[in-house]
Amino acid sequence: MHGSRHAGEPPALRVRTADGQEFRFARPFHVGRGDDCDVRIDDVHVSRRHIVVSCNEGLWSFSDLQSSNGVFVNQKRVLTALVAPNLSVRLGAVDGPLLTMEVETPAAAATERYATTPGVPEGGGQTRMIADYAERYFGSAKSNEPVGKRTMMIRKAFRQVQKKQRRVFGWVVAVLALLTVIAGGYGVYQRQRVVRQQALAEELFYSMKALDVDIANLERTTAASGSQSDRDQVKRYYERRREMEANYDTFLSGLNIYGRNLTEEERLILRVTRMFGECELIAPREYLSEVATYIRRWQATGRYVRAVTLAQEKGYTRKIAEEFIQRNLPPQFFYLAMQESDFDPLRSGPPTSFGIAKGMWQFIPETGLRYGLSIGPLARFERPDLADDRSNWEKATGAAARYIKDIYATDAQASGLLVMASYNWGEGRVVRLLRQMPANPRERNFWKLLEKYRSQVPSQTYDYVFYIVSAAVIGENPRLFGFPFDSPLQSIVKP
């Protein structure tokens, strides 16, 4: 175990587990719960093969082997880290089993070998004897005193040792220079590590969105079949979704996305963007400034105050928010009705080739019928019609939530911003474009739609989406933006 280390071999690594096990490695090894692991830790937080520890060019590091619960250093989840010169990690959770690793320094190794080598003099009583030998064999090497063959042989060996030491010293200087380069490159490595962590966070986010689509479709199937097994499956999916959300939050904490030179307004924009199902990690910088522009437009008029006041006084707010929460949709779709009609249940739109849109949610006749709303006798006229279910705000709100859920679950791929665009422009037009895009949440979002089809998206639809998003941002903290009331949803939405 304590044999000499040959040139080119990596420094040994000492490993200690929380239960007192100690190991020493000079080769790559695995840590996990499985019997085939070199360091076995029997804990529910630990995966069968949790991490691999290896040495590259003299530097020890570990890598997470796609473990279920991750690896934590200083309470932050990481995928890899250097052991330089020591490192403590938690496996599976911030309070999971502790693993301590320490690189064995050359000096420590030499001391250990010295202590275990028989025949080496001990204590200070040998000092004079050593001095005498040094004087005889090395101190008089430059004098004219005749010496014997044995002394000459020892002196020749000493010169060879000196020559070897000079070579070793040269290697030491070279190693120090290399360490300087490594120190400079460590900053590059750290930046690359952040890039890798961000890529993994994005992957996790879009895995959540894919699961959202699966959940939404399974919920529709369950509603039709009433199957208990389907309901149980939905419940399991939601449990998995909550776990993924927690892991994603951990990634964001490590990346410090919300703390990097952002204003409070920009932080709210990113949070609302995530609520609507878009990844804040890839939000274009110009998107933040564009939402801010539309916030200023709301501030420039009294429309926001009038609409929210009306919704509060008439009791619309809670009913609308709860209708969306019941369908596991963002309650911030409340602001879609504000953009459509300022919460006026008797609003009539202009004539179109699809008929006249009516009510708080501005349904055209065809869509209203499809979602169970009866169409009144005045459908062809721009005037209120109390016999038309589209003017019944409670029925229309239920129909709007079901309609939005259907768009959300399929063509919009769980993107609230695409839902808004589809709702405004007409699902046929938007869906036709969406179906030309890849059918996965990563490649089918509002920014991709603009990137590919900006010339085809009407200015009205572009404005519509940004007005709703900016209204929702204001709604998270109206007083921050100069409005004289608190969030209309704060007593309804659980933090």
Side-chain angles (χ1 to χ4, degrees):
M1 179 174 179
H2 301 295
S4 298
R5 182 168 68 87
H6 297 292
E9 291 182 0
L13 186 71
R14 294 188 178 277
V15 181
R16 185 167 60 255
T17 63
D19 61 1
Q21 297 184 77
E22 293 192 9
F23 304 85
R24 183 175 181 270
F25 295 98
R27 57 171 178 77
F29 60 94
H30 289 83
V31 180
R33 189 160 39 85
D35 293 333
D36 58 340
C37 289
D38 304 281
V39 179
R40 186 174 181 274
I41 300 177
D42 190 10
D43 189 282
V44 294
H45 296 92
V46 180
S47 296
R48 194 181 66 81
R49 278 200 170 194
H50 206 101
I51 63 172
V52 61
V53 185
S54 57
C55 189
N56 184 25
E57 297 183 357
L59 296 174
W60 285 93
S61 64
F62 79 83
S63 297
D64 189 346
L65 296 175
Q66 297 183 336
S67 62
S68 298
N69 299 311
V71 185
F72 293 81
V73 176
N74 296 328
Q75 297 186 328
K76 293 183 179 179
R77 183 167 183 168
V78 299
L79 299 177
T80 183
L82 285 174
V83 183
N86 54 61
L87 186 69
S88 295
V89 301
R90 294 276 184 183
L91 303 180
V94 292
D95 58 349
L98 182 68
L99 189 72
T100 304
M101 295 176 280
E102 182 177 4
V103 178
E104 183 181 88
T105 63
T111 301
E112 185 177 347
R113 289 196 297 273
Y114 181 88
T116 57
T117 302
V120 176
E122 297 180 358
Q126 305 297 327
T127 303
R128 181 60 191 167
M129 180 182 71
I130 293 172
D132 289 343
Y133 277 117
E135 175 65 25
R136 171 162 180 76
Y137 291 110
F138 312 119
S140 60
K142 295 181 181 179
S143 70
N144 293 323
E145 179 186 348
V147 295
K149 291 182 178 180
R150 176 179 176 80
T151 301
M152 289 295 294
M153 181 176 66
I154 292 175
R155 288 179 179 177
K156 183 178 180 180
F158 178 64
R159 285 194 296 271
Q160 291 176 343
V161 169
Q162 286 182 312
K163 185 177 180 180
K164 182 177 181 181
Q165 286 177 333
R166 283 194 293 271
R167 289 199 301 269
V168 170
F169 180 75
W171 277 107
V172 169
V173 172
V175 168
L176 289 175
L178 176 61
L179 290 175
T180 302
V181 173
I182 290 173
Y186 186 68
V188 176
Y189 161 78
Q190 286 290 82
R191 288 192 293 274
Q192 291 175 339
R193 184 177 65 83
V194 169
V195 170
R196 288 196 298 270
Q197 282 190 309
Q198 180 162 331
L200 285 167
E202 290 177 25
E203 191 67 36
L204 178 57
F205 180 89
Y206 286 111
S207 295
M208 287 193 297
K209 300 316 296 175
L211 185 59
D212 284 339
V213 175
D214 290 341
I215 290 172
N217 283 310
L218 184 56
E219 283 177 330
R220 287 198 300 178
T221 301
T222 303
S225 68
S227 166
Q228 182 61 45
S229 62
D230 286 344
R231 285 196 292 271
D232 292 341
Q233 183 66 35
V234 169
K235 183 178 179 181
R236 287 192 293 271
Y237 276 8
Y238 273 117
E239 289 173 355
R240 177 58 179 157
R241 178 64 168 77
R242 284 190 289 272
E243 291 175 4
M244 295 170 74
E245 187 89 23
N247 288 334
Y248 181 69
D249 285 336
T250 300
F251 269 113
L252 289 190
S253 177
L255 292 167
N256 197 28
I257 294 299
Y258 287 95
R260 55 178 190 187
N261 303 320
L262 294 177
T263 65
E264 184 59 30
E265 176 182 297
E266 289 172 329
R267 293 188 185 98
L268 284 177
I269 292 172
L270 289 181
R271 289 193 182 101
V272 167
T273 299
R274 177 178 170 185
M275 289 174 189
F276 279 125
E278 297 289 9
C279 182
E280 67 263 69
L281 291 170
I282 63 170
R285 188 71 194 182
E286 57 271 21
Y287 167 77
L288 296 179
S289 60
E290 189 75 335
V291 175
T293 297
Y294 283 79
I295 289 174
R296 290 191 291 273
R297 292 185 183 181
W298 282 115
Q299 291 170 321
T301 73
R303 181 184 165 207
Y304 196 100
V305 173
R306 288 194 300 271
V308 170
T309 302
L310 175 65
Q312 298 285 62
E313 291 177 349
K314 297 291 186 179
Y316 299 154
T317 309
R318 178 171 294 277
K319 170 65 178 177
I320 293 172
E322 289 178 347
E323 193 72 48
F324 285 99
I325 292 172
Q326 181 181 344
R327 287 174 171 76
N328 296 297
L329 290 170
Q332 285 75 16
F333 276 120
F334 166 82
Y335 298 100
L336 187 147
M338 187 166 84
Q339 177 61 18
E340 283 286 353
S341 66
D342 295 326
F343 300 115
D344 180 359
L346 301 179
R347 176 76 58 90
S348 292
T352 71
S353 58
F354 299 99
I356 296 175
K358 290 193 175 186
M360 182 184 292
W361 296 91
Q362 289 290 283
F363 276 109
I364 61 172
E366 178 188 351
T367 308
L369 283 171
R370 194 186 335 149
Y371 285 88
L373 301 178
S374 62
I375 308 302
L378 303 178
R380 293 184 294 112
F381 301 96
E382 294 180 61
R383 51 185 289 191
D385 185 356
L386 296 180
D388 195 315
D389 282 345
R390 293 176 293 171
S391 298
N392 182 319
W393 73 270
E394 291 186 276
K395 288 184 178 180
T397 295
R402 295 195 302 275
Y403 177 39
I404 286 172
K405 182 73 170 184
D406 285 346
I407 305 173
Y408 178 94
T410 52
D411 299 297
Q413 293 287 291
S415 163
L417 275 63
L418 286 181
V419 168
M420 298 170 200
S422 302
Y423 197 101
N424 173 259
W425 193 17
E427 60 178 292
R429 298 187 185 97
V430 176
V431 166
R432 184 168 61 252
L433 296 181
L434 294 181
R435 288 178 179 173
Q436 297 175 44
M437 300 168 68
N440 66 74
R442 180 185 289 277
E443 298 297 328
R444 192 180 282 191
N445 58 47
F446 183 66
W447 303 311
K448 292 287 187 182
L449 178 71
L450 293 180
E451 180 183 309
K452 292 177 180 290
Y453 305 114
R454 179 64 183 93
S455 61
Q456 299 182 49
V457 175
S459 296
Q460 176 191 344
T461 300
Y462 182 91
D463 290 341
Y464 182 87
V465 173
F466 278 100
Y467 268 120
I468 296 172
V469 173
S470 57
V473 172
I474 293 171
E476 292 300 295
N477 187 359
R479 296 187 187 277
L480 176 68
F481 300 97
F483 292 92
F485 47 82
D486 295 322
S487 169
L489 300 179
Q490 69 176 359
S491 65
I492 307 166
V493 180
K494 294 180 180 179

